[in-house]
Amino acid sequence: RSEGRFRAELTAWLDDHQPAADRASDPPRSSGHIPGWARDWQVTLFDAGWLVPRWPPELGGRDATAVEQMIYLEELSRRRVPRTVNAVGLDVCAPTLADHGVGPQQDEWLPATLRGDMSWCLALAAPDEPPDPDDDGAGAGAGNRPALVVAEVDGHVTVRGSVEAPPGAADADRCLCAAPVASAGHRVEGVTVVAVDLDLPGVGRPERAAVASGDPDATLELDGVVGADHHVVGERDEARAVLQSVRARLRSLRWSSPLRA
């Protein structure tokens, strides 16, 4: 398959299927909100193999080469057509689930993310300088704000603390959080990556306007949010590898597409 043929196939398909120009009348409220037209567009891309071309066909791709991927991104940019309005979900969280997820993470969350039925935000607490879980916030980072802490008890994970509001946190379905793990005695025992359901009790979402305006006091609050064991992404000995992978993908995303609030 020549690169010229790939471009011709893509441009012909986009000519016939790209979303209507009036989509601008229904913009996303934030990067964690996927309007109906954007969800429909993401499903259309997925079903045609044009959502993530370098991925295998069963995951919305067509085994494209690196050069073909660049052609794909170039054509979408030229037409000002977004692949998704939840770039963190598609370009960071979905590949993380594909590489490290198990059970429902791959069977349910991954296809829901690829098809635009589940949106994400990111909260990456610094695991190398974990806070004291009983600290009142003094010296805990930017704005003297306590970071996130994870505890694992009887097959469940509990996440508590607060972080500067991540883009999309006002609307996202889940937040992929990386945070230090504390034992019952508050001794830090490494780091873990947890997919927090933002509709669970104990979640305090930030005000959308405060996040959009860059208010430094806008926070995502997790007051003892309890999740099941399958909310942890990756095995314990994989946690740092998962975090490194997430950060690498986030750097690539920031390079290629500015993050919206």
Side-chain angles (χ1 to χ4, degrees), residues 168-190:
D171 298 287
D173 297 308
R174 291 185 184 270
C175 184
L176 194 64
C177 301
V181 180
S183 67
H186 296 170
R187 183 169 61 86
V188 171
E189 299 180 338

Side-chain angles (χ1 to χ4, degrees), residues 8-174:
E9 182 180 356
L10 171 61
T11 55
W13 187 88
L14 287 172
D15 286 343
D16 292 338
H17 295 92
Q18 73 180 53
D22 63 3
R23 64 183 184 273
S25 65
D26 184 22
R29 296 190 296 265
S30 74
S31 61
H33 171 235
I34 304 177
W37 69 264
R39 182 176 296 106
D40 292 345
W41 171 235
Q42 200 163 316
V43 170
T44 299
L45 286 166
F46 180 91
D47 288 342
W50 288 118
L51 181 64
V52 276
R54 294 206 71 184
W55 287 29
E58 62 270 20
L59 292 177
R62 49 182 60 210
D63 292 322
T65 66
V67 173
E68 289 170 338
Q69 174 74 10
M70 293 303 297
I71 291 172
Y72 166 77
L73 294 175
E74 180 183 76
E75 286 296 329
L76 290 183
S77 176
R78 184 174 64 82
R79 295 169 183 251
R80 300 183 181 275
V81 174
R83 298 163 57 232
T84 179
V85 295
N86 182 227
V88 159
L90 181 58
D91 292 328
V92 179
C93 297
T96 297
L97 296 176
D99 290 346
H100 301 282
V102 296
Q105 297 173 7
Q106 287 197 348
D107 298 338
E108 300 172 18
W109 303 356
L110 177 57
T113 302
L114 291 171
R115 299 181 72 86
D117 292 324
M118 181 180 287
S119 64
W120 295 78
C121 64
L122 285 174
L124 306 183
D128 296 325
E129 298 180 2
D132 181 338
D134 283 343
D135 195 341
D136 63 1
N144 289 334
R145 188 178 302 123
L148 302 178
V149 176
V150 176
E152 298 183 32
V153 181
D154 298 329
H156 290 78
V157 293
T158 300
V159 187
R160 63 189 182 93
S162 65
V163 290
E164 184 175 343
D171 298 287
D173 297 308
R174 291 185 184 270

